[in-house]
């Protein structure tokens, strides 16, 4: 019944149960959809960008989706397999605030040195603005990616060293709901 690979191996199911917030049925449903969209079992960056473009049809999602892809691609092999996809989806959709913030920190920390510099923050914020800027009205002090980046650093960079540690990032985001809203980049948010 069905082609090889159409069922989830028991050890994979056990792993996904332990590492995601999804029920067995949800895991199976997501797997079915993933297999349909990615018969090879791997999602390429180009396919991922196309998917993201459908979610954000008004703006240019290509830059931001590449950053999200890099963060989903946990093993760095240039593709997203089902496990990587579901684990990242679990964190971003059902994870606790702290898990989401750690995930976002990983995305913003482009060089993976454990800090977010102004340049890294600006790169991601610019990508977000390209994607949602035309549909989201920003306050004057956040009207440009540069202004938004400066505002975030003023609020978060407690030791004023020009870079954000994971601790500063989490504390700053927890103290300002608007930062969390922008970090989540939820198109349903006003």
């Amino acid at each position: 019944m069905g082609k090889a690979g159409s069922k989830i191996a028991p050890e994979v199911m056990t792993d996904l149960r332990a590492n995601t917030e999804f029920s067995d049925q949800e895991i199976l449903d997501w797997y079915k959809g993933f297999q349909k969209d990615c018969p090879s079992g791997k999602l390429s960056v180009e396919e991922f960008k196309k998917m993201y473009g459908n979610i954000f049809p008004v703006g240019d999602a290509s830059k931001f989706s590449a950053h999200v892809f890099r963060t989903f691609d946990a093993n760095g092999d240039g593709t997203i397999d089902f496990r990587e996809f579901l684990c990242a989806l679990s964190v971003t959709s059902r994870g606790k605030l702290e898990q989401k913030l750690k995930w976002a920190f990983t995305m913003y920390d482009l060089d993976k040195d454990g800090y977010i510099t102004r340049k890294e923050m600006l790169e991601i914020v610019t990508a977000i603005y390209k994607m949602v800027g035309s549909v989201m009205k920003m306050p004057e002090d956040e009207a440009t990616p540069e202004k938004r980046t400066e505002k975030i650093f003023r609020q978060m960079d407690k030791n004023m060293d020009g870079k954000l540690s994971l601790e500063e990032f989490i504390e700053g985001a927890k103290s300002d709901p608007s930062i969390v809203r922008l970090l989540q980049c939820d198109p349903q948010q006003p």
Side-chain angles (χ1 to χ4, degrees):
M1 180 176 133
K3 62 181 193 280
S6 63
K7 289 211 184 298
I8 299 178
E11 66 275 10
V12 173
M13 192 65 162
T14 301
D15 176 53
L16 291 172
R17 269 188 210 114
N19 291 296
T20 73
E21 300 294 325
F22 294 113
S23 69
D24 286 11
Q25 188 57 54
E26 288 170 320
I27 291 170
L28 293 171
D29 291 345
W30 276 111
Y31 185 72
K32 221 182 291 176
F34 191 87
Q35 288 293 104
K36 187 172 148 274
D37 293 340
C38 308
S40 69
K42 302 271 187 182
L43 184 58
S44 74
V45 69
E46 290 312 316
E47 292 164 324
F48 192 80
K49 283 181 177 182
K50 203 168 120 189
M51 278 176 29
Y52 238 83
N54 293 334
I55 298 168
F56 295 94
V58 177
D60 176 5
S62 60
K63 272 282 216 211
F64 186 73
S65 61
H67 291 301
V68 175
F69 181 90
R70 176 181 44 78
T71 311
F72 269 54
D73 181 16
N75 67 3
D77 70 353
T79 63
I80 298 172
D81 62 28
F82 181 66
R83 184 188 187 285
E84 290 170 321
F85 175 77
L86 206 63
C87 287
L89 190 65
S90 178
V91 168
T92 57
S93 66
R94 297 196 177 164
K96 305 219 177 339
L97 177 60
E98 191 136 336
Q99 290 174 299
K100 288 180 180 182
L101 292 174
K102 283 180 180 171
W103 186 89
F105 184 88
T106 303
M107 183 174 62
Y108 280 74
D109 181 14
L110 297 174
D111 65 5
K112 297 180 172 75
D113 69 349
Y115 294 95
I116 301 170
T117 63
R118 274 186 169 78
K119 186 176 178 217
E120 289 170 324
M121 177 70 70
L122 183 59
E123 162 84 21
I124 303 290
V125 172
T126 299
I128 291 171
Y129 274 51
K130 280 186 177 167
M131 184 172 64
V132 299
S134 62
V135 290
M136 282 180 77
K137 183 75 182 107
M138 301 294 180
E140 181 50 42
D141 65 341
E142 300 171 15
T144 66
E146 292 79 8
K147 285 182 177 183
R148 179 70 192 176
T149 298
E150 280 312 308
K151 183 177 180 180
I152 290 170
F153 266 79
R154 271 195 315 276
Q155 290 174 308
M156 288 187 164
D157 190 12
K158 296 300 178 200
N159 64 2
M160 299 166 125
D161 64 354
K163 57 189 181 183
L164 302 177
S165 66
L166 176 62
E167 294 73 29
E168 286 174 316
F169 186 77
I170 289 174
E171 286 310 307
K174 282 181 173 177
S175 69
D176 183 353
S178 72
I179 290 176
V180 175
R181 211 171 42 248
L182 187 63
L183 292 175
Q184 288 174 333
C185 198
D186 185 342
Q188 274 70 51
Q189 291 286 339

